[in-house]
Amino acid sequence: MTGKLEGKVAFVTGASSGIGEATAIALAAEGAKVAIAARRSDRLDSLAERIATNGGQALPLVTDVTDETQVNNAVEKAIAQLGGLDIVVNNAGIAVLGNIDTGNPSEWRRSFEVNVFGVLYVTRATVPFLKQQQSGHIVNISSVAGRTARAGVGVYNATKWGVNAFSEALRQEVHKDNIRVTIIEPGLVDTEINDLISDPIAKQRSEERRKAITPLQSEDIAAAILYAVTQPPRVNVNEILIRPTGQDI
Ligand code: NDP
């Protein structure tokens, strides 16, 4: 297999479904060896098989990104078994939606653990290697919700705003080490993310929003990620905001 990412190694979190899965497939199709991390091992195994059938190589790593030790072990295994690390896609995320007065604090904490601490742990585990290598690319999946606040979305807004702020600070810290940082901000994408929304009103609202338009597909976001990571070394694509054409805010 020859492609634009031949010889590169990528580490993708949240690769068991949706955007992460599509991204792993897209990176592998361009020749990258891909470490695929998430909690559902059956999904990871079947994805690794599909990638192998298409001539690629994927390493399933069962990992909960909220557990720092699991993250460190997964990154270590990826580097050892795939022979390096070049691209990190911090994609794992959950959407906790609903108004503040009916919200559940343990769900708020969980969303910060996955959406923010997960990104921090993976970044902490990978940046020293990339610095030593003097090259690398970190892609953080934020959201339109990282730029535009909406009633009923405040907690998710806060986590994704955090991802954006952290990513820009990170870019300033690591650009001298030839490490690129990209924020991807999708609008509505047709994935499983809504399935876990526990607040019935928020879930209904979100489903109605989705039904009213033609949402993006995970492959659309994977294509944006692929664009960012296949630019010449001098090009640091810092931010890509992608809405479905029919989405208002
Ligand atoms: P999915 O629900 O399809 O995918 C979420 C992924 O995150 C799954 O692979 C899941 O794997 C993983 N994940 C969740 N919790 C953890 C955890 N603790 N440790 C490791 N992995 C975890 O949703 P999407 O593909 O839509 O979401 C991907 C990213 O895109 C998220 O960051 C989301 O916020 C963002 N996004 C999504 C939008 C949309 O409309 N769909 C819009 C804007 C941004 P597993 O359960 O196996 O651990």
Side-chain angles (χ1 to χ4, degrees), residues 16-185:
S16 59
S17 63
I19 295 168
E21 180 181 357
T23 301
I25 291 169
L27 297 175
E30 283 297 340
K33 293 185 217 165
V34 190
I36 46 177
R39 293 165 305 169
R40 287 171 290 177
S41 60
D42 54 335
R43 296 280 200 109
L44 294 179
D45 289 343
S46 92
L47 175 60
E49 270 169 34
R50 266 182 290 149
I51 288 175
T53 303
N54 291 329
Q57 188 181 344
L59 175 67
L61 294 166
V62 175
T63 313
D64 185 331
V65 295
T66 68
D67 183 323
E68 193 186 353
T69 306
Q70 286 188 33
V71 167
N72 290 341
N73 290 340
V75 169
E76 214 172 276
K77 270 193 201 157
I79 293 171
Q81 293 184 29
L82 297 179
L85 183 64
D86 303 283
I87 298 161
V88 178
V89 183
N90 276 310
N91 164 75
I94 57 172
V96 169
L97 304 182
N99 290 355
I100 195 71
D101 52 355
T102 53
N104 176 344
S106 74
E107 288 196 341
W108 303 340
R109 274 190 287 276
R110 184 72 192 157
S111 69
F112 273 86
E113 282 168 6
V114 180
N115 298 3
V116 180
F117 279 93
V119 173
L120 300 182
Y121 294 148
V122 172
T123 307
R124 176 68 181 86
T126 51
V127 159
F129 180 89
L130 302 178
K131 267 186 152 176
Q132 201 180 3
Q133 174 174 264
Q134 287 291 293
S135 74
H137 199 145
I138 297 177
V139 180
N140 291 337
I141 310 305
S142 175
S143 171
V144 164
R147 273 177 157 255
T148 308
R150 279 194 306 119
V153 187
V155 174
Y156 187 61
N157 285 139
T159 66
K160 293 302 189 182
W161 230 273
V163 170
N164 282 12
F166 169 68
S167 302
E168 171 55 15
L170 175 69
R171 185 192 68 75
Q172 294 177 26
E173 284 181 33
V174 300
H175 74 96
K176 287 201 182 78
D177 297 295
N178 208 26
I179 299 169
R180 296 184 278 183
V181 178
T182 301
I183 305 168
I184 306 282
E185 296 157 322

